[in-house]
Amino acid sequence: MIEKINDITYSILNDLKELNEYIYNNPELGNEEFKSSKAHIELLKKYGFQVEEEYLGIKTGFKAYYKSKKEGPAISYLSEYDALPKIGHGCGHNLLGTTSTGAAIVLKHLLDDIGGTVVVFGTPAEETNGAKVKMVEEGAFEGIDVAMLAHPSSTYSKSGTSLAMEAIQFTFKGKASHAASDPDKGINALDAVIMTFNSINALREHILPSARIHGIIREGGKAANIVPDLAIAQFYVRTSRKAYLQKLTEKVKNCARGAALATGASLQISNYELGYDDLVTNETLSEIFTKNLKSQGVQNPDNIKLTFGSVDMGNVSHVCPAIHPYFGIHGDDSIAAHTEEFRDATLTDKAYENMIITINALVNTGVQVIQNKDLLEKIREEFNASKN
Ligand SMILES: [Zn+2]
Ligand SMILES: [Zn+2]
């Protein structure tokens, strides 16, 4: 089967290269990916997909699908296409999206024979306000059997974990006064922010080693001779498990509450970005995908990379069996993601060579899930057990 899949992948390769290069040349920030989402949609329509544009009211989101006449499982691939400020596609989402959309098109070619449905979710703004969060909340994955994407990286590594994350903002309001002549009339909101940082630093000694808390001061006053009446701090709180995130976030909030009490400033707590859930890899699905890479000669695709980031695929993995592996595009460990070097690596022959291998593996995994009832049963059992 993999040879047949490989032939189909080669037959659409020019279209995929064009899509990848077009998105590379037109980088768009999260929720502004109008050109990029349109390019995906046009290509999917060309190959006979039905498309729901502005899916769930998300302007640059879409759902594309093809349902064969034969009943069968629904395989989904998730396309990302948002870029970073200034650098453009430093995270390689041009290639990520092309790989997912490519896999869907190739699988569609086989669907009338094997049955089932293939779905592509166009999911904007992974780097900021991930659209997958809303899609999960609105039930987009009901009736979907598996969800897959593969992220470009320096080397191959299998789907692992990512941190659950909450983005909290503390807005302190105090009272302005002349800092020298009327200090007693003022309430210093900046002091509240500084105390919050100090309390969080004390808290740090008593948190689990896998947790991360990091923040900045967004607003800290206007002039040194005015007691700051407004100060704003933003933090990311990250943990390896969702349940601990709630506990730790509450402790971080208490640091701010204590600072408000101590200074007399008022405190407003809000979320400045959407929170992400931790990624729960479906190991059964992951193993099949990894085998499909190995059978094409990929060395050690089951290496595991420890990552401390957060991805919105995490939210998907709590409602649908999912994998979020990485595929190598340059093999140079010194090139980090979110850099210009990484961005430019997404256009190289080496990147395309590995994109083809990854598409073949994603498609063959889809074929196996459709054709092998026992496998799907095992995937579901593992998923249900992980929820308990
Ligand atoms: Zn990124
Ligand atoms: Zn990314």
Side-chain angles (χ1 to χ4, degrees), residues 41 45 50-56 58 61-65:
I41 288 168
K45 279 185 177 168
Q50 306 264 58
V51 184
E52 290 178 36
E53 298 182 31
E54 298 191 21
Y55 182 55
L56 302 174
I58 304 164
F62 67 85
K63 177 186 176 181
Y65 58 94

Side-chain angles (χ1 to χ4, degrees), residues 8-74:
I8 303 169
T9 306
Y10 269 96
S11 74
I12 65 163
L13 187 56
N14 284 339
D15 280 339
L16 297 182
K17 282 183 172 176
E18 211 177 284
L19 178 67
N20 182 46
E21 277 156 37
Y22 175 79
I23 295 177
Y24 173 95
N25 287 319
N26 293 278
E28 298 166 299
L29 295 179
N31 289 321
E32 295 172 14
E33 314 97 324
F34 293 98
K35 289 179 182 170
S36 307
S37 57
K38 197 161 176 261
H40 277 275
I41 288 168
E42 275 172 10
L43 188 61
L44 286 157
K45 279 185 177 168
K46 175 181 163 183
Y47 284 101
F49 280 75
Q50 306 264 58
V51 184
E52 290 178 36
E53 298 182 31
E54 298 191 21
Y55 182 55
L56 302 174
I58 304 164
K59 290 254 174 302
T60 55
F62 67 85
K63 177 186 176 181
Y65 58 94
Y66 178 80
K67 197 173 179 348
S68 72
K69 290 197 177 67
K70 223 158 94 188
E71 279 299 306

Side-chain angles (χ1 to χ4, degrees), residues 80 91 93 96 126-127 151 338:
E80 296 171 6
C91 207
H93 293 179
L96 188 162
E126 199 282 328
E127 297 283 357
H151 198 299
H338 288 206

Side-chain angles (χ1 to χ4, degrees), residues 315-337:
N315 297 53
V316 177
S317 75
H318 284 261
V319 296
C320 179
I323 53 167
H324 183 297
Y326 293 84
F327 68 100
I329 60 169
H330 49 71
D332 179 353
D333 253 340
S334 69
I335 299 180

Side-chain angles (χ1 to χ4, degrees), residues 252-271:
V252 169
K253 286 180 182 173
N254 280 339
C255 292
R257 289 179 184 125
L261 184 65
T263 55
S266 71
L267 168 65
Q268 196 202 342
I269 301 174
S270 56
N271 290 99

